Amino acid sequence: MIKIYTISSCTSCKKAKTWLNAHKLPYKEQNLAKDTLTKEEILNILSKTENGIESIVSSKNRYAKALNCNIDDLSVNEVIDLIQENPRILKSPILIDDKRLQVGYKEDDIRAFLPRAIRNVENTEARLRAAL
């Protein structure tokens, strides 16, 4: 099952949930403002990233800037503590299942969560539409 980590006010999170619902994909939502991530959840997310902390933490958002610290200078444990105390420094949404991770909402990338047979049909339809 897909797990989606969201922030209530995040428009990309709303788009991702709308997309999942439209494709009838079951998911479990965790609102980061209400439910703190566990260390295990953060480590699981990090284990699926390409660039580690840089892939999930937004150093440019106002919450990260307000912390006035350089995340690159922190240990992994310190960053995990920081995320737990300040979940809004995370990029959102974060979608994860047993095999995949997607940070942010990109319609082309979110298709990876579709079962292969459905993804193949949708890709064929998209190619046909593009040819017209």
Side-chain angles (χ1 to χ4, degrees):
M1 173 174 293
I2 299 167
K3 185 148 190 188
I4 180 171
Y5 298 96
T6 63
I7 300 288
S8 301
S9 60
C10 170
T11 56
S12 293
C13 296
K14 292 173 188 169
K15 288 179 185 178
K17 291 190 307 183
T18 298
W19 189 91
L20 291 169
N21 289 329
H23 288 83
K24 297 178 175 62
L25 294 174
Y27 64 90
K28 181 179 179 192
E29 179 180 6
Q30 182 170 334
N31 184 321
L32 296 174
K34 296 177 183 174
D35 299 310
T36 305
L37 286 167
T38 65
K39 181 176 184 173
E40 291 75 23
E41 287 173 313
I42 297 168
L43 289 171
N44 182 40
I45 292 168
L46 284 171
S47 73
K48 291 180 171 66
T49 65
E50 288 185 22
N51 297 314
I53 292 164
E54 181 181 312
S55 294
I56 63 170
V57 173
S58 174
S59 58
K60 296 179 182 177
N61 78 24
R62 64 181 174 191
Y63 302 102
K65 286 180 180 177
L67 295 174
N68 252 353
C69 71
N70 186 349
I71 291 175
D72 295 335
D73 294 340
L74 303 176
S75 70
V76 172
N77 282 331
E78 289 171 325
V79 173
I80 289 171
D81 291 342
L82 194 65
I83 290 170
Q84 287 181 306
E85 294 166 15
N86 306 278
R88 289 185 176 260
I89 67 172
L90 290 172
K91 296 176 182 177
S92 58
I94 296 175
L95 294 96
I96 190 168
D97 67 10
D98 293 336
K99 301 174 188 171
R100 291 166 287 273
L101 170 76
Q102 180 176 330
V103 179
Y105 174 75
K106 297 171 201 92
E107 189 167 351
D108 289 342
D109 295 341
I110 199 171
R111 292 182 183 285
F113 287 95
L114 288 169
R116 186 179 308 270
I118 295 171
R119 193 169 59 239
N120 289 341
V121 168
E122 286 203 3
N123 288 340
T124 301
E125 289 173 356
R127 282 191 294 274
L128 289 172
R129 281 193 302 273
L132 296 176

